[in-house]
Every structure is written in structure tokens, then in C-alpha cells.
Amino acid sequence: MMNDRMKLSKEQEAILNGSQGEVMAKVMETLVRYGELFGADGMVPITSQYNHLVTSFGLKALGPVYDLMEKLIHAGCASSQKFTADPRPMDKNVPSSFLQNIVFNHFMYSKQEYYEGQLEKLGLVEKDAFTCTCYMDEVGNTPKQGDILSWSESSAVVYANSVLGARCNRNSGIIDLMGSVVCYVPHFGLLTDDGRKARWIVEIRTAKKPEAQLLGSAIGMKVMEDVPYIVGLDRWLGTLDEGTKAYLKDFGAATASNGAVGLYHVEGITPEAIQQGRELLVEEPNVYIIDDAELKRVYDSYPVIWKKKEARPKLCFMGCPHMSLDQLTQWTEKIEQGLKEAGKERVAIPTVFTAAPAVLKKFEETPYASRLRKAGVVISYICPLMYMNNPLSASMPVITSSNKLRTYTSARYYTDEEILEQITKGGSAS
């Protein structure tokens, strides 16, 4: 097959015409067609050390995915890059009923072990390389500024583009693997200089540091897939230290899930904003002003889809996306203080904190891990969204401070302060 639209190199043309076998030719053809749909002008090499896959769950219904993986393995088309993958969907330590366990193990994720075996054959970095926050230092899949990626996980894509200055489009699942297999991705969108220009200037005029997940939600719903340039947030964030990185992790996940943001610039904070400043703005950008009243409007607009709106929460999930080491330690202290004030020793609501296995390993080396468990909190590597994505879990009154989890499931959103109040003091949701 010859391509008449996108400009391909001789090597790319050869792969497309079968020089590396029929399966690799089909992989290249898929990427070419994908690029053509978005007006790509050609293919560019992937330059990151590792890739990241969004498909990490062994859903019984994903038969075509397993068939594709087998074809790649059989043809010797393992990924040219090692890769990490999104979190596992199950953990026996997370509270679940007898019926939920039957659904998880025998109906939903019955192919999990088989699928993980396929991933290991294709190039999984190591057996526990499952997290949505692969870019954390403890995990080690941290791209450099300017690196070209082939990722799909929306919260990881927006973090890599914005906080790290790498270049990646919001790809679909499996496209991430195909790019890694063939070593190329189509050149369009956020891989281009023009595609990284901001069409919105967002002015932060709040009286205090805005809640990361709430601010991200407001911006995501306003700008949708456009790139925002945010001013006034550096007043509250200071420098790009570990606390700011965690804030931007949660903020970005909300922009990506409540909208379709793949890149944002924060004046004085993110690398391209520091280097290029307001040259990143297009001429006559749209303007969005966010003050306390606007954040309250957004918060009040969230629907509550629980059957009984005043039900007592049965579970609390924190860590979507996965928590950082700093967040785990800070939340341990917050919970201890909250319990002390309430005259209690353990959380009033079953609570699960999730983080990458590599982060949890480091956390276990600190005294905080045993202190958090003593307070009754379950520490897990699970994907809360995958836990919630079934009728049994959806019928439970679950609370969270994750706007991503709220958007994709029946979980009810509360601010961090409200979550802390509920899990340490108890009481019904309001």
C-alpha cells in the first residue's frame, strides 16, 4: 500500500509496504489513517524512554484486544519501548461485598491474569508497573521536555504536556501501543507549535487558593479541548515544587475529564509559560474569569445521582489520579488531627487511598504507613474508576474529592476539607 496524503520517509513507506511483515504493515497503516483523520502532515519518531498504555484491565468483553495482542506477540512485534500501564482494577484489600467479588472475578475482570501475561510479553517494564501517574519519580516513566510520546491516559497526557513540557496528543486506547510498536506517531495537534498555542486566557481572582479539582473542572467545562493560559494561579502555587506538582496533577486530571484539555499553561509555573510567556497566546484569545462565586456556581451545578441523596456514605475513594508520596504523608497528618479533634481513633467511613505500587513501596518505608492504617484507612494500588464501573458499585453511596471519578461514575464530589470532615467526624452527606 502506498500513501498519497501524508508525507512519509522511505523507512516509513517501506514498513507500510510490508518490509517488516504483514502485521507491522497493518500497524503502520492504522497510524497513517489515524493521522489522516486529524490532518497530520507526516509521522515523527517517538523519543521518550518508555511508553504508557491506558488499557490495563482484563475485561471479559475485550476479546478483540486480546486477539490483537496475540497477533503482535506471535509476529514478534513486541513494543520497541518498555511501557507502564494504567492501574489494576482489583485489590482484595479494598472493601467489597460477596456479590461484588463475584462480579469482579467471574464476570468483569476474569481475563486479568491472562491479559497481564500478554502485557509482560509485549514489554511491560515490570510486573507491578500499573499506575495512572507513571510520570512520578518513584515510578520512573518521566518524559523530558520536548519528548514525543504515544500515550492515551488523559490525566497522564495533560500532565506530561503541561508540567513536563513533553509532546503528546490525546490518543485513543491501543493507538498508544501501536505508536510504541512502530516507533512513530502522526504529527498533528499538540505535537506542533501552533497546536500548543493558548486560545483562552483564564484569570484567577479567588480570595484563597482554589481547590485543584474544582478549578480544573471549571476550566475544562469552559474551554473543552482548547489550550488555556492561566494567570494568577502562581500567586497561590509559588514554584514548581512537589506540592505544586501534586496540585497540577489533580487540577489537570479534572480539566481532561470534565472537558478534553490535553495541555494547559500556568504563567510563571509550567516550563513553556516560563520560557515563552504570553507569546503562547493566539491573537485575541477568549477570556474566562474565575472568582469564588464562579467556583461555587460550578460546585453547585454537579448532579447528585444517588438513589437516596441523604444516604450515609459507605465508602470514600481518594487518589484518582493516584496520590503522590507527599499527599499520602500530608493526609495521614490531616486524618490524625481530625480524629483527635473528634475524639476518635479510626475513620468513620471506610476509606481507600490509592497510589502507584512504586509510591506505596516508598511510603511503607516511612512511619506514616502504619499510622495511616492505624487510623483505619486502606492503602491500595487499585483504579477507583474500574472498581465503580458496575451496577453494584454504582448503587453504593461513594464519596470522593476526585472530579474525574465523579464525572465517570456515581461517586459524589466533595472538597478535600469536606471529605476530611466526613471521614473523621462522620455524619450524613449534605
Side-chain angles (χ1 to χ4, degrees), residues 6-76:
M6 288 173 55
K7 183 178 180 181
L8 302 182
S9 68
K10 290 183 179 179
E11 180 183 355
Q12 293 161 2
E13 287 280 6
I15 295 172
L16 188 62
N17 290 322
S19 67
Q20 295 186 25
E22 180 183 0
V23 172
M24 189 69 86
K26 288 182 177 179
V27 171
M28 177 62 88
E29 181 182 354
T30 300
L31 289 170
V32 168
R33 292 189 177 187
Y34 177 62
E36 286 175 349
L37 287 173
F38 292 95
D41 56 9
M43 304 282 285
V44 291
I46 294 172
T47 60
S48 58
Q49 181 180 5
Y50 298 121
N51 191 27
H52 182 77
L53 306 189
V54 72
T55 47
S56 61
F57 35 91
L59 277 171
K60 189 176 182 179
L62 294 182
V65 171
Y66 311 134
D67 292 343
L68 171 62
M69 297 299 191
E70 280 303 314
K71 287 180 180 178
L72 291 172
I73 294 167
H74 182 72

Side-chain angles (χ1 to χ4, degrees), residues 40-281:
D41 56 9
M43 304 282 285
V44 291
I46 294 172
T47 60
S48 58
Q49 181 180 5
Y50 298 121
N51 191 27
H52 182 77
L53 306 189
V54 72
T55 47
S56 61
F57 35 91
L59 277 171
K60 189 176 182 179
L62 294 182
V65 171
Y66 311 134
D67 292 343
L68 171 62
M69 297 299 191
E70 280 303 314
K71 287 180 180 178
L72 291 172
I73 294 167
H74 182 72
C77 297
S79 174
S80 59
Q81 296 175 296
K82 293 286 186 179
F83 55 81
T84 51
D86 263 18
R88 289 181 168 114
M90 298 182 294
D91 179 0
K92 64 181 180 181
N93 296 313
V94 174
S96 57
S97 68
F98 176 73
L99 285 177
Q100 281 177 308
N101 288 332
I102 291 177
V103 169
F104 291 149
N105 291 295
H106 299 288
F107 293 97
M108 289 189 68
Y109 305 118
S110 59
K111 302 285 286 186
Q112 188 65 31
E113 184 176 347
Y114 171 75
Y115 183 50
E116 288 190 21
Q118 288 187 315
L119 294 179
E120 289 179 15
K121 292 176 183 176
L122 282 168
L124 189 68
V125 171
E126 53 97 15
K127 67 180 182 64
D128 287 328
F130 291 93
T131 177
C132 52
T133 56
C134 59
Y135 45 78
M136 289 189 175
D137 292 341
E138 295 85 358
V139 181
N141 187 359
T142 312
K144 302 183 299 295
Q145 183 173 0
D147 270 349
I148 304 297
L149 316 180
S150 181
W151 295 6
S152 290
E153 162 56 43
S154 62
S155 67
V157 167
V158 72
Y159 187 94
N161 275 320
S162 309
V163 182
L164 302 178
R167 297 199 169 198
C168 185
N169 282 313
R170 283 174 54 104
N171 297 307
S172 61
I174 302 302
I175 287 292
D176 50 15
L177 176 62
M178 290 188 173
S180 183
V181 165
V182 82
C183 299
Y184 296 103
V185 286
H187 185 248
F188 69 93
L190 297 176
L191 271 60
T192 69
D193 290 342
D194 285 345
R196 299 177 76 82
K197 292 280 189 178
R199 298 184 178 276
W200 286 83
I201 184 164
V202 179
E203 298 181 13
I204 308 301
R205 299 182 183 178
T206 54
K208 62 179 182 179
K209 183 179 180 180
E211 192 87 3
Q213 296 269 3
L214 187 55
L215 179 64
S217 171
I219 292 174
M221 288 192 288
K222 189 70 171 182
V223 310
M224 297 307 290
E225 78 278 5
D226 286 342
V227 178
Y229 185 94
I230 304 158
V231 301
L233 189 57
D234 54 336
R235 169 190 176 193
W236 303 111
L237 298 185
T239 60
L240 193 57
D241 57 15
E242 292 304 312
T244 296
K245 290 177 182 178
Y247 182 99
L248 294 178
K249 164 182 69 73
D250 294 335
F251 162 81
T255 69
S257 58
N258 287 204
V261 175
L263 164 67
Y264 59 81
H265 303 292
V266 181
E267 191 165 63
I269 298 290
T270 54
E272 286 167 276
I274 290 174
Q275 294 158 7
Q276 301 179 52
R278 300 199 180 191
E279 291 181 5
L280 288 167
L281 288 163

Side-chain angles (χ1 to χ4, degrees), residues 312-333:
R312 176 182 173 82
K314 290 187 177 179
L315 187 63
C316 173
F317 266 123
M318 298 289 287
C320 181
H322 276 168
M323 299 173 79
S324 69
L325 185 60
D326 277 2
Q327 286 178 311
L328 287 170
T329 57
Q330 289 171 14
W331 269 94
T332 301
E333 294 176 346

Side-chain angles (χ1 to χ4, degrees), residues 291-304:
D291 54 17
D292 295 323
E294 174 64 359
L295 289 182
K296 185 178 186 305
R297 182 197 66 79
V298 171
Y299 185 24
D300 291 343
S301 74
Y302 296 154
V304 178

